Amino acid sequence: MLVAKGAAAEWRSFWFLPIAAALGYATSVLHIYSFGPFIEPLQQEFGWSRAQISLGITVQSIGSALFCIPVGLLIDRIGPRKVGLTGVLLMAVTVSLLATATGSITNWLVLWAIIAFGTMFVQATVWSSAVTSRFHVSRGLALAITLSGASLSATIFPLLATWLIGEHGWRTAFVSLSCMWAALVFPILFFFFRAAPKQVQDQNSQQETATEELTGLTLAEGIRSPALYKLLAAGGLFAFTAIGVVVHFIPIIKDRGADPLAAASIASLIGIFSIIGRLSTGVLLDRFPAHIVGACAFLIPILGSALLLVNGNSSVNQAIAAAIFGLTLGSEVDVIAYMAAKY
């Protein structure tokens, strides 16, 4: 029999789960937010352009997107715990393999395709499905903490990667960063990342269905809806542009004279302000029309880019630009999810 719990009771019983899930979700962007410091050493080693280097991330992103649905089915079948634990280990191995790059573009893209396989098992649905199985009254806050794992990544990975490259070189840095993170996160997940048993989840679902009238579009209606494709286009275009800026942010400000550690410190502001963006967007969505909030969130990177173009040598401009990019990154997922649920 399902026992209803209030928000305080949920947090007393499962306070550790969103924190563990946040660390797991941070693993899913290990290769994204740590990559900026590696671009210059790779250019020097192989003579590649930045476009050639970042092509690997494009391959990985496309590969991961293609397999979202199969992984969702796998989560339903074996549970998020097994998928997440496997994914953290796979990410450590696959990101470490970048240290074996030979200088061949084909080899480089194959390595990133392998990373795409690893990221399938650490995508957001793995961590959010476990959290939603335990939290009902306080689900919004629990999910916000979980998704803040990406902000944590953006804060610490650039600094850690820069330090490792300076001390040990880029090949050792790929391996060390991956293994250090897995060594930290895997034990925490092993002990604290547990979804509700399937029977309890089924009871919760039955109770919610019995007490709430389900409304909205059918699958066929949703596929025919113009709103679906507008949101898909907005999210896709945003991801390809904003993530590109974030990946190249450290090289951009290093080109303007910043030393590696200073550049990494400024880039870490992206992670800090993405947390602020995530929380403030939730507040704004409750008070203003979602399409206006979304439009503002998606347009403000233009201001950050303008600051870098007009006077990118200024450390103040660099810091403000980093803060702006952080705010928009923190807003994007919330806006898309909110508007998708609304429509």
Side-chain angles (χ1 to χ4, degrees), residues 32-33 57 61 237-249 329:
I32 299 292
Y33 290 128
I57 293 180
S61 299
L237 292 171
F238 178 87
F240 271 99
T241 52
I243 296 300
V245 171
V246 171
V247 168
H248 291 275
F249 191 81
L329 283 176

Side-chain angles (χ1 to χ4, degrees), residues 129-336:
S129 62
V131 170
T132 55
S133 74
R134 296 290 195 184
F135 287 84
H136 303 278
V137 179
S138 191
R139 182 174 290 175
L141 177 59
L143 285 174
I145 292 173
T146 298
L147 295 176
S148 293
S151 303
L152 176 67
S153 295
T155 303
I156 65 174
F157 287 160
L159 289 167
L160 186 55
T162 299
W163 178 77
L164 287 170
I165 292 169
E167 294 293 320
H168 306 289
W170 67 269
R171 292 186 188 272
T172 301
F174 271 129
V175 177
S176 299
L177 179 64
S178 304
C179 293
M180 288 168 60
W181 186 251
L184 169 68
V185 173
F186 186 85
I188 295 174
L189 294 176
F190 185 83
F191 289 107
F192 299 112
F193 184 68
R194 296 180 185 274
K198 189 69 166 65
Q199 183 180 4
V200 174
Q201 294 185 49
D202 290 342
Q203 290 175 338
N204 290 341
S205 179
Q206 291 170 7
Q207 183 177 17
E208 289 176 359
T209 302
T211 57
E212 298 179 7
E213 180 183 355
L214 298 180
T215 61
L217 304 180
T218 65
L219 177 60
E221 291 171 338
I223 291 175
R224 293 194 300 268
S225 170
L228 170 66
Y229 300 99
K230 292 177 182 178
L231 291 175
L232 182 63
L237 292 171
F238 178 87
F240 271 99
T241 52
I243 296 300
V245 171
V246 171
V247 168
H248 291 275
F249 191 81
I250 289 179
I252 288 171
I253 58 179
K254 284 175 66 178
D255 286 346
R256 299 304 183 100
D259 65 76
L261 280 176
S265 298
I266 294 172
S268 69
L269 292 174
I270 294 174
I272 295 170
F273 277 86
S274 68
I275 297 175
I276 298 173
R278 187 172 304 283
L279 298 176
S280 60
T281 298
V283 174
L284 292 172
L285 287 171
D286 288 336
R287 288 166 171 77
F288 301 99
H291 66 282
I292 295 177
V293 176
C296 293
F298 281 29
L299 286 173
I300 58 172
I302 296 174
L303 177 58
S305 299
L307 288 172
L308 294 177
L309 285 170
V310 173
N311 188 13
N313 295 326
S314 166
S315 59
V316 174
N317 278 13
Q318 293 168 359
I320 295 173
I324 289 172
F325 291 128
L327 290 173
T328 193
L329 283 176
S331 303
E332 182 257 349
V333 173
D334 288 5
V335 168
I336 294 295

Side-chain angles (χ1 to χ4, degrees), residues 35 38-40 42-44 46-56 105 108 248:
F35 193 62
F38 289 95
I39 292 177
E40 185 176 332
L42 287 167
Q43 285 183 292
Q44 295 173 351
F46 300 128
W48 292 340
S49 68
R50 290 180 185 171
Q52 288 174 309
I53 293 170
S54 57
L55 184 60
I105 290 295
W108 181 244
H248 291 275

Side-chain angles (χ1 to χ4, degrees), residues 26-35 38 42 53-67 71 86-101 106-123 170 174-175 177-178:
T27 309
S28 70
V29 288
L30 168 65
H31 56 296
I32 299 292
Y33 290 128
S34 67
F35 193 62
F38 289 95
L42 287 167
I53 293 170
S54 57
L55 184 60
I57 293 180
T58 303
V59 169
Q60 175 272 314
S61 299
I62 294 172
S64 296
L66 292 175
F67 292 99
V71 172
T86 302
V88 168
L89 296 179
L90 282 175
M91 283 298 291
V93 172
T94 56
V95 174
S96 294
L97 287 176
L98 291 176
T100 67
T106 300
N107 164 261
W108 181 244
L109 297 183
V110 168
L111 292 174
W112 280 94
I114 295 172
I115 292 177
F117 177 76
T119 56
M120 288 165 45
F121 299 90
V122 290
Q123 59 183 264
W170 67 269
F174 271 129
V175 177
L177 179 64
S178 304

